[in-house]
Amino acid sequence: MASVSFLNRKMGVRNSKRKSKNNAELKIGDKVPDFELCDIDGKKFKLSSFRGRQVFLSFFRYAACPVCQYSLDRMKQQSEMLTRLGIVTITIVNSNPEYIGRLISPKLDNYSIILSDKKGSVYSTFDLGKDSSLTTTPAMIAKNMKTFKPYMKASAMNMIGDAGFNTAILKQLPADFMISEDGVIMDLLRAETGLDHMSFARIEACVPDNKRCRCYTKDCLSPRCRKEYDEIRKDATALLYVGSGSDGSDGS
């Protein structure tokens, strides 16, 4: 899977400048603020109820955002793997439950708890960034229409009802927080573009070694698994070469 920085360079995204309005901005090592939000069925979830388990907390912009749709398609495999590792994925979206249920839930199936924060109260609590301009994301989409085209129809049909002309929502930027079993922020990423999300390598670095994936397949999200796969292939090739003899004979 391509890294966020590579995708941003490929798409010609220029990072916006982010200035915090809060001198007490959350940082690694801080206790994560507690909050309570509802899913699309109205069921309440409190972050503190997941104490004892690691949590990957991911903030998206709004449900009809085509860039978010693109990112969510790539997040599904990650959410599946984190579930296998015993890590809870919580996705927060700045939209009403109606649009989350229509556009977000089908993408993540049962691998993430998806919560609605239409009022943006938790976004404010976590002091998330805003894009400096309303034109940054539309310009990125226009420049890379082939990439985002599969998401444009659903976006166009739901944009007005979802985000409308609310500039606070339209300028909202994503963020990711990796949270320890005792509620401490282990790592965080505050996006500088609508496409930014934490790489799996950073997420995995927060996972205890005995819980990390060891499938050693070439398509695994884990850099360690992919590296080990390459090493196993090299060793196997070397053994075949030695077994056949350097002169092409069968070695007998």
Side-chain angles (χ1 to χ4, degrees), residues 17 51 61 68 75-76 87 93 116 123 165 189 241 247:
K17 298 296 183 182
R51 291 290 188 270
R61 300 175 72 224
C68 294
M75 185 179 172
K76 182 177 180 180
I87 297 168
V93 187
S116 168
Y123 288 80
F165 300 98
L189 181 145
Y241 181 76
D247 60 355

Side-chain angles (χ1 to χ4, degrees), residues 36-45 97 114-116:
E36 185 177 79
L37 291 172
C38 294
D39 66 8
I40 61 173
D41 298 315
K43 182 180 179 180
K44 293 181 179 180
F45 287 87
I114 308 168
L115 304 177
S116 168

Side-chain angles (χ1 to χ4, degrees), residues 208-219:
D209 187 70
N210 64 341
K211 288 187 177 181
R212 294 183 189 180
C213 182
R214 286 179 169 79
C215 70
Y216 304 143
T217 58
K218 64 177 180 179
D219 296 322

Side-chain angles (χ1 to χ4, degrees), residues 51-213:
R51 291 290 188 270
R53 298 180 67 182
Q54 285 186 302
V55 174
F56 179 67
L57 179 63
S58 189
F59 291 85
F60 280 78
R61 300 175 72 224
Y62 55 95
C65 169
V67 178
C68 294
Q69 294 289 311
Y70 173 86
S71 297
L72 282 160
D73 272 348
R74 280 138 193 81
M75 185 179 172
K76 182 177 180 180
Q77 185 183 0
Q78 173 181 294
S79 299
E80 291 176 2
M81 175 171 279
L82 293 182
T83 298
R84 292 198 300 270
L85 299 180
I87 297 168
V88 178
T89 297
I90 299 177
T91 303
I92 299 181
V93 187
N94 202 181
S95 296
N96 284 327
E98 173 190 354
Y99 293 96
I100 296 174
R102 185 184 303 167
L103 300 167
I104 304 293
S105 296
K107 291 181 177 292
L108 296 180
D109 295 330
N110 298 317
Y111 296 107
S112 176
I113 297 167
I114 308 168
L115 304 177
S116 168
D117 185 21
K118 179 62 175 179
K119 294 181 179 179
S121 59
V122 180
Y123 288 80
S124 296
T125 299
F126 279 72
D127 193 24
L128 304 190
K130 302 284 187 182
D131 207 330
S132 59
S133 170
L134 281 171
T135 63
T136 304
T137 300
M140 176 175 67
I141 293 170
K143 187 174 181 179
N144 302 277
M145 185 55 71
K146 185 177 180 180
T147 297
F148 296 111
K149 186 177 180 180
Y151 311 97
M152 296 307 295
K153 183 177 180 180
S155 176
M157 291 175 63
N158 294 277
M159 177 72 75
I160 299 301
D162 185 15
F165 300 98
N166 188 326
T167 57
I169 294 177
L170 293 171
K171 294 175 74 173
Q172 182 65 61
L173 289 170
D176 294 321
F177 292 78
M178 190 65 191
I179 303 167
S180 70
E181 292 93 336
D182 54 354
V184 174
I185 298 172
M186 303 178 74
D187 196 4
L188 62 88
L189 181 145
R190 288 188 174 88
E192 294 184 329
T193 78
L195 193 63
D196 289 353
H197 282 281
M198 190 181 293
S199 69
F200 189 80
R202 284 178 62 172
I203 297 171
E204 188 179 45
C206 299
V207 179
D209 187 70
N210 64 341
K211 288 187 177 181
R212 294 183 189 180
C213 182

